[in-house]
Amino acid sequence: MEILIKATQFILSLSFLIVLHELGHFIPAKLFKTRVEKFYLFFDYKISLFKKKIGETEYGIGWIPLGGYVKISGMIDESMDTEQMKQPAQPWEFRSKPAWQRLIIMLGGVVVNFILGIVIYIMITFAWGVEFVKPLDIKHGFAVNELFKEYGFRDGDKITKFNGEEPLDATDINKHLFLRGITSLDVLHEDGTSETINIPEDIGSTMWANGVMEPFTVRTEAVIDTVVTDSPAEKAGLLKYDKITSVNGTPVTYWQEFTNLILNSKEDINVTFERDGLTKNTTISPRDDKTIGVSNSKLRGITIQHKDYSFFESISIGNSLAIWTLKDYITQFKYVFTKKGATSIGGFIAIGNIFPATWSWQAFWSITAFLSIMLGFMNLLPIPALDGGHVVFTLFEMITGRKPNDKFLEYAQITGFILLIGLLLLANGNDVVKLISKFF
């Protein structure tokens, strides 16, 4: 059922984004009296699930869910209709239009993506407001990764300022460290002392290289919130709301201490816990991956504040969210070109897993806004077969006054298409490998 809910949200979001992106090309093409032969959701190689011709355009749904397209007369695109290009240019064709009109047609899709992302963020802010956690509302502070303890951080720290300014949401610390150039953090230690700790400028690269993407985790009491069915924990008799007090005789106060003791165990573990005021013991055999099938809620250790905004206030907040989403995505994009980045690229399974296992309109629209901005940026990359490739060739023509010949554009389109297929296979191959590794 969880898989079905995630898949439904993914397909709905993807379809919504594809149709609007293609409308971004379709509308200016029609305004400039350019013939659009096809408008398709998904690709229709040999087979269409649905098609209907209205006027000069065939509208349809293909069977290959890898995107969508509009086939514009007189343009070398996904259809690779080279026969049409051998005929004399017609006034309704893309190639007959002035360069500035062709540029607008090609930029239309990404412009829609960016505008759509902004609009969705504005409406999310207006409809649901903003939830945040102030620095001192993290009751037990953060548990700190060993790598960051070398900089002077300690378990129980409360991070009060990022680069000298109080954050709106203190739980954003990991994202800001990785993507937003944090150079100093003001810290309130558990013993009541305060200090400012300087952060190396390349901290994002250090986090990436060491696989430490969450150096700070909200520290919570060792109380079980979920026990997975048929897991080692369930077989050992653990229940929701059991409070762990020790593992193999070592006292436990916080959840992170509990999980670390399990990870470092080499055999069965003896767990002492409290239930209904009584102290009990049980022995658990962890799985090979050092898990026992229990989880804890971060909400136990924090106080969440909520703020609603008027529609006009939401415009500013929504714009800011969209701009930071784009900036963060561009910043993290550089890691794709590292050796580790090649194995970290995710495909459809990874994207689908972003969606929650239970239906939430707020989460759905938030993820859709992110994907819209991400798709806008990706389509702007100067790769032939993407909008950005066509834009580069058109700008070259506008600057030099020389139009690349059709044969060159054809070969460029083929090269770009092969590159995109390669990236698609790599991304989805990574998904399959990760999926298989869970069972072996």
Side-chain angles (χ1 to χ4, degrees):
M1 188 62 180
E2 289 184 0
I3 294 175
L4 179 61
I5 292 174
K6 286 188 175 187
T8 301
Q9 291 178 92
F10 173 53
I11 294 171
L12 180 61
S13 176
L14 183 65
S15 301
F16 178 71
L17 293 175
I18 290 170
V19 169
L20 290 182
H21 176 90
E22 299 306 333
L23 274 174
H25 297 304
F26 179 84
I27 291 173
K30 299 296 283 185
L31 287 174
F32 295 136
K33 302 187 184 306
T34 309
R35 180 174 295 173
V36 180
E37 298 175 18
K38 287 187 174 184
F39 186 118
Y40 263 76
L41 170 64
F42 306 148
F43 293 107
D44 61 325
Y45 180 72
K46 302 292 185 181
I47 300 173
S48 298
L49 299 179
F50 164 82
K51 63 180 179 181
K52 182 177 179 62
K53 190 162 186 177
I54 301 174
E56 62 190 17
T57 305
E58 177 182 297
Y59 300 87
I61 300 175
W63 64 278
I64 307 175
L66 300 181
Y69 71 99
V70 287
K71 185 180 184 303
I72 300 175
S73 295
M75 176 182 175
I76 298 176
D77 56 11
E78 297 93 336
S79 65
M80 293 304 296
D81 187 359
T82 55
E83 290 302 315
Q84 185 184 72
M85 303 302 291
K86 294 177 182 179
Q87 306 301 318
Q90 301 298 321
W92 62 78
E93 290 186 334
F94 179 82
R95 55 180 166 166
S96 299
K97 302 301 177 181
W100 67 270
Q101 291 185 5
R102 284 184 274 124
L103 182 65
I104 291 174
I105 292 171
M106 293 317 305
L107 284 174
V110 298
V111 169
V112 166
N113 280 136
F114 291 136
I115 292 176
L116 178 63
I118 293 171
V119 170
I120 293 175
Y121 277 128
I122 290 171
M123 297 313 297
I124 289 173
T125 304
F126 179 60
W128 288 287
V130 174
E131 291 186 340
F132 54 93
V133 179
K134 303 302 286 184
L136 300 183
D137 287 340
I138 300 175
K139 183 178 179 181
H140 304 292
F142 288 102
V144 183
N145 182 274
E146 292 299 320
L147 177 67
F148 273 67
K149 287 181 179 178
E150 297 175 8
Y151 299 122
F153 297 102
R154 311 171 200 165
D155 287 330
D157 283 350
K158 295 181 180 180
I159 312 299
T160 57
K161 291 183 180 180
F162 302 175
N163 286 348
E165 296 184 1
E166 182 179 327
L168 173 64
D169 191 335
T171 61
D172 284 340
I173 177 62
N174 297 315
K175 177 174 69 176
H176 282 246
L177 279 169
F178 186 54
L179 300 172
R180 300 195 183 178
I182 296 294
T183 56
S184 70
L185 293 172
D186 285 18
V187 177
L188 175 63
H189 293 302
E190 198 169 20
D191 62 7
T193 60
S194 301
E195 68 172 312
T196 298
I197 298 178
N198 293 321
I199 308 294
E201 290 185 3
D202 62 346
I203 192 61
S205 298
T206 301
M207 291 167 64
W208 178 255
N210 288 277
V212 181
M213 303 313 295
E214 291 191 358
F216 295 94
T217 56
V218 173
R219 197 165 64 158
T220 57
E221 295 178 352
V223 177
I224 296 173
D225 276 284
T226 303
V227 179
V228 177
T229 302
D230 203 33
S231 65
E234 186 189 56
K235 293 175 181 178
L238 289 180
L239 300 175
K240 184 175 181 177
Y241 302 128
D242 285 347
K243 183 176 182 179
I244 311 300
T245 56
S246 72
V247 174
N248 292 336
T250 302
V252 168
T253 302
Y254 300 107
W255 187 259
Q256 288 78 7
E257 297 170 340
F258 173 51
T259 56
N260 285 337
L261 287 168
I262 295 175
L263 287 172
N264 293 323
S265 66
K266 297 181 180 179
E267 52 190 22
D268 293 354
I269 57 174
N270 181 266
V271 176
T272 302
F273 59 95
E274 293 180 359
R275 180 190 298 164
D276 299 327
L278 300 176
T279 299
K280 298 176 179 289
N281 289 278
T282 190
T283 299
I284 304 176
S285 301
R287 302 177 180 125
D288 291 339
D289 61 357
K290 298 293 185 180
T291 62
I292 63 172
V294 293
S295 63
N296 168 262
S297 173
K298 292 181 180 179
L299 298 180
R300 287 185 174 275
I302 61 178
T303 299
I304 299 175
Q305 298 189 41
H306 180 93
K307 184 175 181 180
D308 290 318
Y309 292 91
S310 69
F311 178 74
F312 291 105
E313 290 173 326
S314 298
I315 293 174
S316 175
I317 301 294
N319 270 283
S320 179
L321 284 170
I323 291 169
W324 275 113
T325 297
L326 178 59
K327 286 183 177 179
D328 289 344
Y329 190 79
I330 293 172
T331 300
Q332 71 180 15
F333 191 72
K334 65 182 180 183
Y335 295 106
V336 171
F337 301 100
T338 65
K339 183 178 180 180
K340 182 180 176 182
T343 60
S344 300
I345 299 173
F348 295 121
I349 294 176
I351 296 173
N353 280 329
I354 298 175
F355 291 92
T358 56
W359 193 278
S360 165
W361 280 114
Q362 183 177 1
F364 172 83
W365 286 117
S366 181
I367 294 169
T368 299
F370 164 74
L371 291 177
S372 186
I373 290 172
M374 180 191 78
L375 289 172
F377 170 74
M378 294 297 291
N379 268 287
L380 264 184
L381 293 177
I383 298 174
L386 289 179
D387 296 342
H390 292 288
V391 168
V392 167
F393 294 139
T394 306
L395 288 174
F396 172 82
E397 176 187 347
M398 294 175 73
I399 293 170
T400 64
R402 291 181 295 155
K403 184 178 181 179
N405 65 62
D406 291 342
K407 207 65 180 175
F408 171 80
L409 293 176
E410 180 183 336
Y411 288 139
Q413 186 77 8
I414 293 171
T415 302
F417 188 74
I418 292 172
L419 177 61
L420 292 179
I421 290 295
L423 289 173
L424 193 65
L425 291 173
L426 173 63
N428 287 283
N430 287 339
D431 281 353
V432 172
V433 169
K434 291 173 185 176
L435 187 64
I436 293 174
S437 67
K438 291 182 179 180
F439 299 98
F440 296 97

